Amino acid sequence: SFLGSSLLGPSAPRVALVTQHTELDTEWRLRGDALKTLQEDFMNQQDLLVKIAEQLLGGTLQREMVLRMRECEDIRHQQELQSAALREGLMELAQVKEDLGQLSADVSEIATGLACVAEQP
């Protein structure tokens, strides 16, 4: 009886500790798995929110960018038209200046000829 109680006595606390340790290990593993599942769910939800935001903002931003690009193209086209008109106007002014220079030379030549005729008796 002494031998039987001494064999069972000290091993019972060990078995209880091993059982408790196993239960704690299992509980920690389950908590770890649950935490991993929560993290994965969180990441999936975050990815989904990012995709939704991209769709919402992407459509709006895309439309705004297209509108702004069209406005820029319109402005560039207007500037090209204005530049062409300005070039044409400057060319006309240069031609008028040239014509006036020629006219002035002709008038001077006529004035000189008239002065010569007026001096002759």
Side-chain angles (χ1 to χ4, degrees), residues 23-39:
E23 288 172 357
L24 287 174
D25 187 49
T26 303
E27 185 179 333
W28 278 104
R29 197 171 324 118
L30 290 174
R31 285 184 182 181
D33 291 345
L35 181 61
K36 185 177 179 182
T37 301
L38 283 173
Q39 288 173 332

Side-chain angles (χ1 to χ4, degrees), residues 50 58 72 109:
V50 166
C72 287
E109 187 177 321

Side-chain angles (χ1 to χ4, degrees), residues 42-100:
F42 176 76
M43 294 300 289
N44 289 335
Q45 288 176 358
Q46 190 174 15
D47 288 343
L48 181 61
L49 287 174
V50 166
K51 287 177 184 176
I52 290 170
E54 285 175 351
Q55 287 297 318
L56 291 175
L57 295 176
T60 301
L61 292 176
Q62 185 68 23
R63 277 193 302 273
E64 286 296 319
M65 286 177 59
V66 168
L67 289 174
R68 298 302 166 246
M69 288 175 64
R70 285 182 185 157
E71 288 175 1
C72 287
E73 288 174 13
D74 290 345
I75 290 170
R76 185 170 23 94
H77 181 68
Q78 290 172 3
Q79 287 176 337
E80 288 173 359
L81 291 175
Q82 290 171 351
S83 294
L86 181 61
R87 271 192 304 276
E88 188 177 325
L90 289 173
M91 289 174 63
E92 287 177 10
L93 282 176
Q95 185 63 46
V96 167
K97 183 178 177 183
E98 185 179 321
D99 291 346
L100 284 175

